[in-house]
């Protein structure tokens, strides 16, 4: 996907990009591949792949959650790595208030540099594990309109990292490749226990390659019990299933 076809594919979804936003994506691409030579941020470095599999892919939640396009939502992106999906969302929908939490400091350093280069406001970066960021003593707990996560963990684990951060009435969206047949069913126990309910799980394909993708959109219906998330590492070691 070239920058030009990226723009056209988004326009087909009703998302229009200005010259300035296109320049921000180009700057993002340049910085990503330059810094990636010194520190490992991504395996995807060819321009057409970055535009499709990082930039376009990151924007797909906005096709299903129209409030992302209009409202000044508070978003927490758990394990954003080099900024996906929240930085592309922030570039396209600048009214969003973005918080990123990632356990790897080198990625947070990259994001600080990126935010400066792209002149982004209302972005905050935290070097922390999600289990601590969302625990019962944290001011971030149950405080976000929307929590996002892509390529961080399987759904039962991810739900424990993400749902405690969502305010009641808010949502958690997981960006997945083709979901393993049992992943959603296996996650049902964790999602319910943590106060969530699956609202929709739209499956679709990316343009050009036809790669399979699926979003899992979870409504936060009830407060998460105080005992979750468990201490760092536990959600992964002993998933709630
Ligand atoms: N979301 C990005 C993307 O889609 O390109 C990055 C994915 S990368 C495979 C996973 C990221 O999640 C890493 O940056 C890692 O440091 C972070 N991560 C994994 N477990 C975490 C946890 N418990 N708390 C915070 N960050 C975590």
């Amino acid at each position: 996907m070239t920058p030009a076809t990226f723009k056209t594919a988004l326009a087909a979804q009703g998302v229009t990009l200005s010259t300035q936003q296109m320049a921000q994506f180009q700057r993002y691409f340049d910085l990503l591949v330059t810094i990636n030579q010194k520190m490992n941020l991504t395996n995807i470095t060819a321009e057409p792949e970055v535009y499709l599999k990082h930039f376009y892919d990151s924007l797909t939640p906005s096709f299903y959650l129209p409030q992302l396009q209009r409202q000044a939502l508070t978003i927490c992106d758990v394990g954003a790595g080099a900024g996906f999906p929240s930085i592309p969302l922030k570039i396209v929908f600048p009214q969003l208030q973005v918080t990123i939490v990632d356990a790897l400091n080198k990625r947070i350093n990259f994001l600080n540099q990126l935010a400066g280069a792209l002149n982004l406001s209302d972005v905050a970066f935290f070097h922390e594990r999600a289990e601590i960021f969302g625990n019962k003593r944290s001011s971030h707990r149950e405080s976000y309109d929307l929590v996002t996560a892509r390529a961080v963990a399987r759904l039962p684990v991810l739900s424990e990292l993400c749902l405690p951060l969502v305010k009641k009435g808010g949502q958690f969206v997981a960006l997945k490749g083709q979901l393993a047949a049992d992943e959603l069913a296996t996650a049902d126990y964790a999602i319910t226990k943590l106060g969530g309910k699956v609202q929709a799980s739209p499956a679709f394909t990316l343009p050009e390659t036809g790669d399979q993708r699926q979003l899992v959109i979870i409504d936060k219906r009830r407060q998460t019990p105080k005992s979750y998330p468990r201490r760092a590492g536990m959600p992964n070691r002993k998933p709630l299933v």
Side-chain angles (χ1 to χ4, degrees):
M1 172 173 275
T2 62
T5 51
F6 170 67
K7 190 173 181 193
T8 314
L10 286 173
Q13 298 287 345
V15 176
T16 334
L17 296 192
S18 67
T19 310
Q20 190 210 336
Q21 287 166 321
M22 288 299 288
Q24 284 176 301
F25 278 111
Q26 198 57 47
R27 185 87 186 91
Y28 193 171
F29 169 72
D30 290 341
L31 209 57
L32 184 69
V33 292
T34 307
I35 307 283
N36 201 49
Q37 288 165 356
K38 289 181 274 178
M39 66 165 89
N40 178 28
L41 294 166
T42 175
N43 293 326
I44 296 175
T45 53
E47 187 181 75
E49 270 202 295
V50 171
Y51 272 80
L52 178 66
K53 295 188 176 171
H54 281 328
F55 297 166
Y56 183 92
D57 190 49
S58 291
L59 295 168
T60 57
S62 70
F63 309 158
Y64 298 90
L65 298 167
Q67 64 271 36
L68 267 170
Q69 303 195 18
R70 292 188 298 268
Q71 296 176 16
L73 300 179
T74 53
I75 296 193
C76 181
D77 192 3
V78 171
F84 308 116
S86 55
I87 299 294
L89 285 166
K90 174 70 187 173
I91 293 173
V92 178
F93 308 112
Q95 84 286 356
L96 297 173
Q97 299 173 58
V98 169
T99 296
I100 284 177
V101 55
D102 199 288
L104 263 190
N105 203 29
K106 64 177 184 175
R107 304 221 160 113
I108 295 297
N109 290 339
F110 166 75
L111 291 169
N112 272 312
Q113 196 179 339
L114 178 71
L118 301 184
N119 211 4
L120 301 178
S121 53
D122 286 329
V123 287
F125 306 121
F126 293 89
H127 171 219
E128 190 57 275
R129 289 191 65 112
E131 295 93 320
I132 295 167
F133 199 68
N135 77 13
K136 63 175 189 274
R137 284 177 296 277
S138 168
S139 59
H140 294 277
R141 187 181 175 85
E142 315 223 271
S143 70
Y144 292 95
D145 296 316
L146 182 72
V147 175
T148 59
R150 187 185 84 154
V152 176
R154 279 173 59 83
L155 210 45
V157 179
L158 201 56
S159 298
E160 188 170 349
L161 302 182
C162 295
L163 271 170
L165 292 162
V166 185
K167 65 162 75 143
K168 223 169 109 184
Q171 288 174 315
F172 160 44
V173 58
L175 290 78
K176 293 285 185 177
Q178 192 173 17
L179 267 186
D182 64 340
E183 191 171 338
L184 204 49
T186 316
D188 208 47
Y189 173 77
I191 293 168
T192 306
K193 188 142 195 113
L194 296 159
K197 180 152 179 37
V198 176
Q199 185 234 82
S201 50
F204 54 94
T205 54
L206 290 181
E208 298 187 0
T209 58
D211 289 348
Q212 307 254 12
R213 292 288 185 271
Q214 190 159 5
L215 300 178
V216 182
I217 302 169
I218 298 169
D219 290 337
K220 179 85 176 259
R221 295 275 179 92
R222 289 171 288 103
Q223 276 193 342
T224 300
K226 289 207 164 45
S227 45
Y228 300 104
R230 291 166 291 165
R231 67 174 189 277
M234 276 298 275
N236 212 14
R237 266 200 302 281
K238 285 195 181 291
L240 282 174
V241 283

